[in-house]
Every structure is written in C-alpha cells, then in structure tokens.
Amino acid sequence: MAARRSGGLWRWGELLPVQDAGFITYLGEGDTPLQPAPRLGSWLGLRRLEVKRESLNPTGSFKARGMAVAVSRAVELGATHLVAPSAGNAGGALAAYAAAAGVRATVIMPADAPAQNQVEVLAAGARLILLEGLISDCGRLAALFRDEAGAFDLSTLKEPYRVEGKKTMGFELAQQLGWRLPDAIVYPTGGGTGIVGMWKGFEELEALGAIGAERPRMFSVQAEGCAPIVRAFEHGERFARPWEGAETAAAGLRVPSAVGDFLILDCLRQSGGAAIAVAERDILETRSRLGGIGFGYTSLETAAAAAGLKALVESGLIHEDEEVILFDTGAGFKSEPPTFESPRSIPNDPDYWEEKVIPDVL
Ligand SMILES: *Cc1c(COP(=O)(O)O)cnc(C)c1O
C-alpha cells in the first residue's frame, strides 16, 4: 500500500479499508484547506475561527470522501453495480466515482431533489430514478436493488465504508492543528456521518498515540423544518423520532430519520456539545451575508452551520475566545440558487456608457 500511496485522503491509506491500492479511485478528494476566517469571525463574535473547506472536494461537497473510499472498496470486493438513495450531494459523488471506477451506478432520489443534483448524476452517466416519496422510501427501493438485482447498496450507514472515508476529516483536522483538536466543531447535520466519522477518526488517532483524550465539543446544526436530532437532544432521548413533513431548501439536512441517530446523539452528549435548529429565513440570509464578507458562494447547508454558530455564540454555548472550526460542507452551486433582481442590460453604445454608466459609478 505505502509504495502506491496517492495524494489527498489516500495519504491515510493504512487506516482505510482498501487493501490493494490498485483499486483506489482518486479524483482529488481530501486535503482540504483549514482557513482562518477573521471577517466571518468578527461578524460572529469569535476571535479564533477557522473554516474547513470541504466544498473544495471533487463534486463540490464532503460526500466525495465517503464515496471515494466506499466505491473503491466495493469494486475491490467485486461489485459491478452500485446503488444509493440520495437527497442531494451523495448521488452526484456516487455517480462520479462509479464512472471513474468503470462500474454501473443507480441513484434513487426523491422527485423534489434539487435540479442541480439530478443533472450531476446524469452527467456522469449514472441511472437516475426519481421516486415520488421520501428519502426513506428511496432507501427501501435501494434495498430491493441489493436483494433482487445484486447491486452493492451504499445507503448511509448500511455499509461500513463511507464513514471510513469521512473519518479522514478528523485526521486532517488534527494534523492541520499540529496534533491537537479545537475547542468546538460546528457541522450541518443530516444523516450524521460527517460527525460520526470525524469522531471515529479522533478515537483512532488517540489509539495510535497521535493525540490525547481531549475532544472538541461537537455541535450539530439542523433546519427548523427538519430537526429530529435537535428534538431528541432536547428531550434527552437516545433515538430520534422521524420528523413529519420535513421541509428545508438545504437538501443535505432534509433527513427526517437518520439511521445513525443514536451515534450522533451519543457523540454530541459525550463531547459536551449540543444540537441546534435554525430558521429557514436565517439560512437564506446567512448565505447572502457570507458571500458579501468574502466567504464565497456557499451551499445552504454551510449557511445553516454559520447561522447555527451565530446562535451558539449568542446563547453563550460557545465563547468568544474559543478555537472553533466551522465546516463548509458544500459549494454554492450545489444548492438551489438565490433569487436576485437581475441587472438590466445596457446598450452596446460608447456614448451611452459615457453619459449614463460611468457617472453612475463616480
Ligand atoms: C450531506 C450533507 C450534509 C449533512 O451531512 P451528514 O453527514 O449527512 O450529516 C451537510 N452538508 C452538505 C453539503 C451535504 O451534502
């Protein structure tokens, strides 16, 4: 393995499930920057804020990490047809990695999944099924593909390998901070494998002696229109009841019932963190604000996490002096676009430019 080590998250090859490096499908995933964010920090009232830029992964979200490892391993195990339900970014990542590995992929999405996510699946040559139901119904159809068509089911936490890919976020974070961990991590949570994977990564690093027993407080942010983990956290429950009528434009957070609910809740509680919900309006407003302060064009999930962090600082759950890592999980072009009043076009006429356009900017 070491001899054929590749870049990105495959630097951690010995800690990943792929045995023969010849099966690695690498599109550039992992090794994302950890950037100080002083302007965002001053808006949020934080002095030591850094952002983990997962939006720079291939296919524009951290889902690439999980799919890179899971697809590579599934192909090593002999799979030739991969299937997964997806409400958004997982489908695009699966399609891209399956195409790169040269195997078939079927993605099953709720019919109301964002058009951007649908197009990405089709562009990578995968089969897309739009189901008139919820993500959980898509999961049931995926299981049928597994049982009756012999497909390898990559549903969240129904196989062990996507989490293995996501744990590399924890490895990178520790390494980038000089083998220590921050005070707090804020993550937009849907199915929860981001949080759960990172937590597993920390445990492995401790077992290897790379870090000590200290852990960051882990904070999950969900949308008010779909907040099953927040509700369970607040009620002291270990399992989350399914959320009825889930509604949020942040597709990655529209997960009414997470298979790993207890894993997420255990992690939040053990770490001394919390789960918090943000209003839809705050998510949209925060996305605009993030753009204006130079953070870039972000996904609605990232905007939700930033809005949640603001609320956490305001409520005193995170203190201004603490070292905080905000996860930018996805790029703006992966979400429904914001609506702007589009600028009116101007005539292609130098006299008009002199008379009307230039005076306007002076
Ligand atoms: C899937 C997704 C999330 C939620 O992550 P989980 O690991 O499912 O909790 C957050 N942001 C983006 C951009 C996503 O695609």
Side-chain angles (χ1 to χ4, degrees):
M1 183 87 198
R4 293 204 42 191
R5 186 186 298 275
S6 315
L9 62 74
W10 299 101
R11 290 192 296 116
W12 309 95
E14 285 81 355
L15 301 173
L16 295 173
V18 177
Q19 303 297 306
D20 176 350
F23 286 99
I24 289 174
T25 297
Y26 176 57
L27 297 177
E29 58 280 1
D31 254 344
T32 56
L34 184 65
Q35 295 175 326
R39 288 180 73 195
L40 177 60
S42 68
W43 177 57
L44 294 170
L46 289 170
R47 279 207 279 277
R48 295 158 66 210
L49 174 66
E50 286 169 291
V51 177
K52 183 77 169 146
R53 286 286 191 181
E54 289 300 301
S55 57
L56 297 177
N57 274 301
T59 72
S61 88
F62 81 103
K63 294 290 196 303
R65 291 183 188 263
M67 285 301 179
V69 172
V71 169
S72 298
R73 178 61 175 154
V75 173
E76 180 172 48
L77 291 171
T80 56
H81 181 190
L82 312 176
V83 64
S86 169
N89 289 323
L94 170 58
Y97 284 94
V103 294
R104 273 171 75 195
T106 300
V107 175
I108 305 164
M109 287 185 167
D112 61 355
Q116 292 86 329
N117 299 117
Q118 297 184 25
V119 166
E120 198 183 5
V121 170
L122 295 170
R127 176 163 180 214
L128 175 63
I129 296 176
L130 293 180
L131 184 83
E132 288 161 13
L134 302 172
I135 183 74
S136 48
D137 303 314
C138 297
R140 286 195 313 196
L141 179 55
L144 210 61
F145 269 73
R146 177 194 65 210
D147 295 340
E148 299 192 8
F152 193 103
D153 183 1
L154 287 165
S155 301
T156 301
L157 293 173
K158 293 287 169 91
E159 52 70 49
Y161 304 123
R162 285 173 64 188
V163 164
E164 293 298 296
K166 290 174 181 178
K167 78 184 180 186
T168 60
M169 290 190 291
F171 294 165
E172 284 177 21
L173 196 56
Q175 186 188 30
Q176 286 169 318
L177 292 172
W179 303 111
R180 44 177 204 87
L181 297 176
D183 295 308
I185 289 178
V186 178
Y187 206 96
T189 294
T193 53
I195 289 262
V196 169
M198 237 187 305
W199 195 249
K200 182 170 194 283
F202 297 151
E203 280 172 3
E204 291 183 7
L205 290 180
E206 185 185 352
L208 289 166
I211 59 169
E214 333 66 60
R215 293 288 184 274
R217 305 202 304 294
M218 307 290 282
F219 293 93
S220 277
V221 181
Q222 298 201 297
E224 272 180 3
C226 181
I229 300 297
V230 176
R231 181 169 64 188
F233 183 86
E234 286 172 354
H235 294 180
E237 292 157 357
R238 186 153 189 251
F239 298 94
R241 277 174 290 130
W243 191 271
E244 299 285 334
E247 212 173 315
T248 170
L253 308 187
R254 205 161 54 221
V255 182
S257 175
V259 181
D261 52 358
F262 62 102
L263 299 171
I264 308 167
L265 287 158
D266 285 355
C267 164
L268 301 178
R269 291 192 177 112
Q270 275 173 37
S271 73
I276 171 172
V278 290
E280 201 66 11
R281 186 175 16 91
D282 283 344
I283 298 175
L284 300 174
E285 281 177 15
T286 302
R287 172 164 65 175
S288 302
R289 180 175 290 264
L290 291 175
I293 59 178
F295 191 91
Y297 178 32
T298 70
S299 65
L300 291 169
E301 294 84 354
T302 298
L309 177 51
K310 186 150 183 52
L312 288 164
V313 174
E314 282 165 3
S315 67
L317 283 174
I318 290 182
H319 195 257
E320 60 172 354
D321 297 322
E322 290 190 301
E323 182 174 38
V324 179
I325 308 295
L326 175 69
F327 270 78
D328 166 29
T329 50
F333 64 85
K334 305 306 298 283
S335 290
E336 299 285 0
T339 48
F340 290 104
E341 205 182 311
S342 65
R344 276 196 302 159
S345 59
I346 59 166
N348 186 11
D349 171 4
D351 291 337
Y352 181 90
W353 303 345
E354 294 272 5
E355 281 162 36
K356 301 275 191 214
V357 183
I358 299 304
D360 215 38
V361 295
L362 290 176

